[in-house]
Amino acid sequence: MAERGCLSGYGPGQGHGPGHDPDHEPPETARDRVNRRWHEILQETRVAQTGVQILFGFLLSVAFTPLFRDLTAFDRTVYVITVVLGAAATASLIAPVSIHRFLSGQRMKDEVVESACRLMRCGMVLLALTIGCTLLLILHVVLPSLLAEIIVGGVMLWFALCWYVLPLRLRRRSGRRETVPTDT
């Protein structure tokens, strides 16, 4: 079960590009692995945090524009949902930093990495939903309703394919490669 969790990452000798020979490198220790996974999560968090903070700032400013008063009840509802999703995404994507700060030095890095990974996954779902709702809000104002909804549906399908289906497919393919016996 842990092999499919957030701590699994790449095994020793994996993820180093084509032509990498794991026989010429010492295996990764459990401590090295959790440290590597933590550094990967920090890098991913930096990217995601920046995007969600910019989007959230934009969303907060919308309510103070003159055109906001002219929005329909539907558009206002979409706006409120979008702001709440953006706040939740921000919380999820920044939470790993807070967890690390509170638990630093407690010798709980495995738990910190596992929790941070789960929060990042949750935050990415919330971010995708925030982007979809933001797009719906904008397109609903400038395009006929049905066309806006079709475009948003297509964009959300693209997000689902890129962010979730492709990684899961690659994970499954990697798992099948690892189970195939090799002749040595």
Side-chain angles (χ1 to χ4, degrees):
M1 185 85 167
E3 284 304 310
R4 288 294 183 220
C6 294
L7 289 177
S8 63
Y10 296 109
Q14 293 179 336
H16 297 285
H20 178 76
D21 185 4
D23 295 332
H24 291 92
E25 188 173 297
E28 187 176 47
T29 67
R31 183 177 181 163
D32 289 342
R33 183 177 187 175
V34 75
N35 285 332
R36 176 183 50 79
R37 292 292 295 141
W38 176 247
H39 291 292
E40 289 172 355
I41 287 173
L42 284 179
Q43 287 301 101
E44 293 163 1
T45 300
R46 286 182 185 117
V47 172
Q49 279 178 359
T50 302
V52 75
Q53 287 171 335
I54 291 169
L55 180 58
F56 191 55
F58 162 76
L59 288 171
L60 292 176
S61 69
V62 168
F64 300 102
T65 63
L67 294 177
F68 187 79
R69 283 177 254 139
D70 298 335
L71 293 179
T72 65
F74 173 80
D75 292 332
R76 285 176 184 253
T77 301
V78 171
Y79 173 76
V80 169
I81 291 168
T82 305
V83 169
V84 170
L85 286 169
T90 301
S92 292
L93 294 171
I94 294 176
V97 175
S98 178
I99 290 170
H100 180 261
R101 189 53 25 228
F102 277 95
L103 300 178
S104 182
Q106 299 297 312
R107 300 190 185 282
M108 297 178 64
K109 194 171 265 184
D110 286 342
E111 293 88 351
V112 168
V113 169
E114 188 67 29
S115 295
C117 183
R118 288 185 177 149
L119 284 162
M120 289 289 294
R121 285 181 182 164
C122 178
M124 294 304 291
V125 169
L126 292 167
L127 178 57
L129 292 172
T130 303
I131 292 169
C133 286
T134 302
L135 192 58
L136 179 61
L137 182 63
I138 293 168
L139 293 181
H140 193 259
V141 170
V142 298
L143 295 173
S145 184
L146 181 61
L147 181 57
E149 292 163 9
I150 290 170
I151 291 171
V152 170
V155 170
M156 293 310 297
L157 178 61
W158 183 247
F159 267 87
L161 290 171
C162 292
W163 285 14
Y164 306 104
V165 174
L166 178 61
L168 291 172
R169 186 169 182 221
L170 292 171
R171 175 190 271 185
R172 189 176 12 192
R173 186 183 304 166
S174 173
R176 277 184 274 175
R177 258 195 324 254
E178 290 173 8
T179 60
V180 174
T182 57
D183 297 327
T184 50

